[in-house]
Amino acid sequence: MRRWWRHPARIIPVAFLCLITVGTVMLMLPISRKGEGQSAPFFTALFTSVSTSCITGLSVVDPATYWSPFGHVVLLVLMQIGGFGIMALASLLGLFAARRLGLTGRLITQHETHAVGLGDVRALLFRVGLFTVTFEVLTSIVLAGRFWLGYDYPFGKAVWYGIFHGVSGFNNAGIALFSNNLMGFTTDWWICVPLILAIIGGSLGFPVIYELTRELNRPRLWSTHTRLTVFGSLFLLIVGFGTVLAFEWANPGTLGPLDLSGKILASMFQGTSPRTAGFNTVDYAQMESETRLFTDWLMFIGGGSAGTSGGIKVTTFFLLAFVILAEVRSERDVVIGKRRIAEAVQRQALTVALLGVAFVGFGTFALLFISHAPLDQVFFEATSAFSTVGLSTGLTPTLPLSGQAVLIILMYVGRVGTVTVAAALALSERRTLYRYAEERPIVG
């Protein structure tokens, strides 16, 4: 039993369940909710705790008006722990406290942060921790200054709003302290641009951040993973910006009333947010169907591996694209940048993608059966939950408890990881010492 529990693929899901439980209890305290001694209902606290711990951002209540300042602090802590990673954060704190990290801690942290080797874990934790704090502090300073000087917020309130949204942005949580999210800042470059940079920084993934801090000026030395993540993310950002700008240019409910500068900024923000921050500066319920469908695609892909973003990850998507290309060309090996990709990695990418499709399909079917809402809205909500994005067309608060339970499952699986959940549910690991005769079924 002790050996079973030591496996990282089982410890991490349990750790997130513990975090969700603690968050639920804290949010159910009367002090966490605005009002005179009223505590939040269990399911409201549970949904909010799951959404925040899994850095999704979907909500069944208005976070700005429903939760008290103490409740907002709880949300901030849950975002930070859930975004950085429970085991990674615990290991980092252990390093600072004891200046050492045991073998078990390294194995668990390596599994969660996707470190290459045991020797990389300690250096990765220090560099990623420093990068995280630096990025969040700088973003918070800019936002606080804007709230204070540009909107005449009291200094204390401006600082708090800057910190909350800076942490929410870097951790790709998408939770805002405004009832309309960030729709009041659609054309504000001093609010949107820092958040765009924070979203991109958090979505790259810890291994990429670690490598860039060492080899930023020498791209030729980047690993295949870093190249796929960086250039793949850049491609998706450009395509996302162009798609939103093109389809929403004349939409009176989104970009139509804005001037050229506002259209560009709003398109940049909404082309970035689905990967996978969840902030919105325009109303997604008013978007064209084509834009929402494209947003589904961006949300499902997500950001970099072992970071604060969700989805099946950029590397998984583009790796499968190279697999398809190699098969179409009838090439024996899958080669990316003069590097041959191992068959085990190809199988893992295929597994992650197909499990993701399965979970989104299950969630869409279940929500469609429960809510009888239009298919495009249901599919958008299910994809947003699984990809831990948090964008919504307004369907989530109207769902019955059974529908919200479906979203809870999707958010949890999306944050912990499809492969990790599958491994955690497996009763045992088996290694066969033999191989069967090969067979070739007809494909296609």
Side-chain angles (χ1 to χ4, degrees):
M1 181 63 67
R2 290 178 59 188
R3 186 177 180 182
W4 193 92
W5 278 109
R6 279 186 176 181
H7 198 292
R10 298 186 179 100
I11 292 179
I12 293 173
V14 174
F16 268 94
L17 285 177
C18 294
L19 177 64
I20 290 169
T21 302
V22 173
T24 302
V25 173
M26 296 296 291
L27 291 175
M28 288 183 66
L29 297 176
I31 193 177
S32 295
R33 182 181 176 183
K34 284 186 178 179
E36 299 179 358
Q38 296 180 346
S39 59
F42 168 75
F43 211 86
T44 299
L46 174 63
F47 190 97
T48 304
S49 179
V50 173
S51 179
T52 311
S53 301
C54 297
I55 50 176
T56 304
L58 288 175
S59 183
V60 294
V61 295
D62 181 4
T65 59
Y66 190 87
W67 304 108
S68 67
F70 179 83
H72 292 155
V73 173
V74 173
L75 298 183
L76 178 68
V77 174
L78 292 177
M79 283 191 298
Q80 187 68 77
I81 297 177
F84 191 84
I86 298 175
M87 305 313 299
L89 182 59
S91 300
L92 181 62
L93 295 176
L95 281 174
F96 282 118
R99 297 292 180 182
R100 60 189 296 273
L101 188 62
L103 178 61
T104 302
R106 290 193 183 195
L107 287 171
I108 296 173
T109 306
Q110 179 189 19
H111 186 276
E112 188 172 12
T113 59
H114 292 201
V116 176
L118 292 178
D120 295 331
V121 173
R122 181 168 179 168
L124 182 145
L125 285 173
F126 273 121
R127 294 197 182 206
V128 169
L130 179 62
F131 180 85
T132 300
V133 172
T134 302
F135 221 118
E136 289 180 349
V137 168
L138 292 177
T139 305
S140 300
I141 290 175
V142 175
L143 294 179
R146 182 58 176 169
F147 287 133
W148 183 37
L149 301 175
Y151 294 93
D152 296 326
Y153 282 27
F155 181 75
K157 182 179 179 180
V159 171
W160 167 240
Y161 272 51
I163 293 174
F164 188 95
H165 293 93
V167 172
S168 181
F170 182 83
N171 288 286
N172 283 225
I175 301 175
L177 296 181
F178 305 98
S179 297
N180 60 354
N181 205 272
L182 298 179
M183 291 176 59
F185 309 98
T186 306
T187 59
D188 193 324
W189 289 76
W190 286 100
I191 297 294
C192 294
V193 172
L195 287 175
I196 289 175
L197 296 177
I199 292 167
I200 295 174
S203 68
L204 288 177
F206 299 152
V208 173
I209 293 174
Y210 174 58
E211 187 168 346
L212 291 180
T213 57
R214 297 186 303 169
E215 309 291 351
L216 179 61
N217 297 324
R218 295 186 290 181
R220 69 181 186 279
L221 300 180
W222 291 357
S223 65
T224 301
H225 171 76
T226 296
R227 291 181 180 182
L228 282 175
T229 302
V230 173
F231 294 120
S233 297
L234 181 61
F235 171 78
L236 292 176
L237 289 171
I238 293 174
V239 173
F241 163 74
T243 301
V244 174
L245 186 64
F247 284 103
E248 299 298 321
W249 179 274
N251 186 344
T254 55
L255 303 187
L258 305 178
D259 57 14
L260 178 60
S261 176
K263 293 178 189 292
I264 292 176
L265 179 59
S267 299
M268 288 172 53
F269 196 90
Q270 299 312 146
T272 304
S273 186
R275 322 224 359 272
T276 53
F279 286 126
N280 65 286
T281 57
V282 296
D283 187 359
Y284 268 85
Q286 301 295 323
M287 276 190 167
E288 303 290 350
S289 299
E290 297 85 353
T291 309
R292 287 212 300 265
L293 183 60
F294 183 79
T295 303
D296 290 331
W297 178 56
L298 289 179
M299 292 192 297
F300 186 73
I301 297 175
S305 301
T308 62
S309 59
I312 64 171
K313 305 299 188 291
V314 175
T315 47
T316 302
F317 176 80
F318 283 101
L319 176 59
L320 290 177
F322 277 99
V323 171
I324 294 173
L325 182 63
E327 184 63 28
V328 170
R329 292 178 174 177
S330 298
E331 296 175 347
R332 179 178 179 181
D333 298 321
V334 177
V335 178
I336 303 177
K338 298 182 179 180
R339 291 292 185 271
R340 179 170 53 87
I341 306 302
E343 292 184 1
V345 177
Q346 299 176 39
R347 291 197 304 270
Q348 185 179 21
L350 183 62
T351 302
V352 169
L354 290 182
L355 284 177
V357 171
F359 274 103
V360 172
F362 156 77
T364 302
F365 179 82
L367 291 177
L368 195 62
F369 175 78
I370 294 170
S371 67
H372 302 289
L375 177 59
D376 61 335
Q377 287 189 352
V378 170
F379 183 64
F380 189 93
E381 223 77 5
T383 306
S384 179
F386 171 78
S387 302
T388 67
V389 179
L391 294 175
S392 176
T393 59
L395 178 63
T396 296
T398 66
L399 291 173
L401 295 184
S402 56
Q404 295 172 9
V406 172
L407 293 180
I408 287 176
I409 295 174
L410 291 176
M411 291 188 290
Y412 176 74
V413 174
R415 179 62 184 99
V416 174
T418 52
V419 174
T420 302
V421 170
L425 294 176
L427 296 178
S428 62
E429 297 179 359
R430 297 188 302 169
R431 294 184 180 180
T432 56
L433 301 179
Y434 54 88
R435 300 179 71 184
Y436 291 105
E438 185 179 89
E439 186 64 70
R440 289 180 175 269
I442 298 176
V443 177

